[in-house]
Amino acid sequence: MNPTRGIPVSIIVLTKNEEDNLAKLIESIPWCDDIHVVDSLSSDNTLAKAKSLGVRTWSNPFRGFGDQRNWALSNCALKYSWVLFLDADEKSTPAFAAELERAVTTAPETVAGFYCCWKMIVEEVWLKRCDNFPKWQFRLLRVGKARFADFGHGQKEAEIQGEIRYLKEPYEHRPFSKGWSDWLDRHNRYSTKEAEERAALPGRLAEVFSSHGPVRNRALKAYVSRMPGWPILRFSVPYFLRLGFVEGRVGFTYCLNLAYYEYLIQIKIREIKSRGPTALSPKV
């Protein structure tokens, strides 16, 4: 594919203090002429950086990832009928762009969108095994055919009007671009949201056997979060059974931190169940 050729897709990037990451993302999508940065009241120069890169900018207070995505869909002046959501710490690749172009130009009207997957890149190592590649998120949609709902610290697809397919060529995801300490700070906050969501999840056994990975994984969370040894399993399965140890020191550190994240979630779920749903509310 010629990387300078336009692809009829609008791109929305949700940001919060992403001044340092934004340029690398924009450089990876030269084929898009309709890029929108939706900022959550950053305290750095994210908006100024975005404007200097020639993209359209919008501001909206952050209430949740699903809510912010829906706000963007409703308020951004989108040029195309297809929308791709990317984060500032992500990058398109030529192979991903080619697959994306094929998908949006050949999909029948019955297709509402696509699940997409990422390559987790940490310290220039692709953690294919430790990150259980592929993981799927609903990121590419036809305008008017889908919305989002908040789920844990992220979002899930909602109000789907049609079929969801899979875009199997991954984009790059670099969540440690600001360092391990930043990742730990963020995931301490994320674990609160996850605990609140999982504590309220009903056990839907039928969804555990769903053919769609995102649906299946959300249903499994209701069960694994109740397992006393789940954080240990969360480390052991990717690191040992999926041979994640071949990904070296970076893989070990990543798996260990994911286990710690799950342990935080379990602690906070116990607090919610023993002290009520306001147990994790910030003190003023």
Side-chain angles (χ1 to χ4, degrees):
M1 189 195 81
N2 180 353
T4 62
R5 188 177 70 197
I7 300 176
V9 173
S10 297
I11 293 179
I12 296 174
V13 185
L14 305 186
T15 60
K16 172 74 173 182
N17 295 334
E18 293 289 358
E19 175 187 1
D20 294 335
N21 279 328
L22 202 52
K24 292 180 181 178
L25 166 63
I26 303 304
E27 288 169 5
S28 76
I29 48 177
W31 42 263
C32 182
D33 65 353
D34 191 43
I35 304 170
H36 301 258
V37 166
V38 178
D39 189 66
S40 303
L41 309 183
S42 288
S43 58
D44 68 357
N45 293 315
T46 295
L47 281 176
K49 184 68 174 180
K51 290 174 182 176
S52 73
L53 293 168
V55 304
R56 301 194 65 178
T57 60
W58 312 79
S59 293
N60 187 58
F62 185 84
R63 300 177 184 86
F65 283 103
D67 180 85
Q68 194 77 332
R69 279 164 160 64
N70 289 338
W71 186 93
L73 289 171
S74 298
N75 292 277
C76 293
L78 301 170
K79 180 177 180 179
Y80 299 110
S81 61
W82 283 98
V83 176
L84 172 68
F85 283 90
L86 288 174
D87 293 339
D89 59 1
E90 296 170 345
K91 293 173 63 178
S92 173
T93 66
F96 174 76
E99 180 86 357
L100 174 71
E101 182 179 34
R102 181 201 59 77
V104 300
T105 55
T106 63
E109 288 294 326
T110 55
V111 173
F114 290 82
Y115 292 119
C116 299
C117 64
W118 64 81
K119 293 172 63 172
M120 175 77 76
I121 308 293
V122 182
E123 298 181 24
E124 300 307 316
V125 177
W126 177 16
L127 298 184
K128 183 176 183 179
R129 298 176 184 275
C130 289
D131 195 46
N132 297 325
F133 177 84
K135 287 181 176 177
W136 302 99
Q137 278 196 0
F138 187 64
R139 291 291 196 95
L140 176 62
L141 61 91
R142 197 190 298 267
V143 175
K145 295 295 185 179
R147 303 283 282 180
F148 293 92
D150 289 326
F151 184 81
H153 77 269
Q155 73 288 317
K156 63 180 180 179
E157 62 277 10
E159 301 177 32
I160 302 298
Q161 301 177 40
E163 176 189 1
I164 302 179
R165 293 185 177 180
Y166 287 80
L167 198 70
K168 296 184 178 180
E169 185 64 41
Y171 54 86
E172 290 187 4
H173 182 37
R174 296 173 177 264
F176 296 90
S177 58
K178 298 179 183 178
W180 288 92
S181 59
D182 174 78
W183 186 92
L184 287 167
D185 287 343
R186 284 186 286 117
H187 279 72
N188 182 40
R189 298 192 302 271
Y190 293 166
S191 64
T192 299
K193 287 286 190 182
E194 279 290 327
E196 292 169 346
E197 190 70 46
R198 294 189 198 184
L201 276 176
R204 294 192 175 99
L205 192 58
E207 292 185 357
V208 172
F209 301 98
S210 170
S211 60
H212 286 298
V215 175
R216 184 171 61 250
N217 290 339
R218 287 194 294 265
L220 280 169
K221 286 181 178 181
Y223 295 97
V224 298
S225 299
R226 301 184 177 100
M227 296 170 55
W230 167 238
I232 297 173
L233 281 174
R234 184 65 185 86
F235 172 85
S236 300
V237 170
Y239 192 72
F240 293 113
L241 295 185
R242 295 182 180 272
L243 307 182
F245 57 83
V246 304
E247 291 165 350
R249 172 188 55 82
V250 176
F252 174 80
T253 307
Y254 179 69
C255 288
L256 192 64
N257 278 285
L258 284 185
Y260 173 64
Y261 175 59
E262 292 294 334
Y263 184 58
L264 285 177
I265 293 170
Q266 285 196 328
I267 291 172
K268 293 178 181 183
I269 288 176
R270 288 201 298 271
E271 286 187 343
I272 290 170
K273 291 187 174 180
S274 64
R275 294 161 52 192
T278 61
L280 305 183
S281 300
K283 303 300 186 291
V284 294

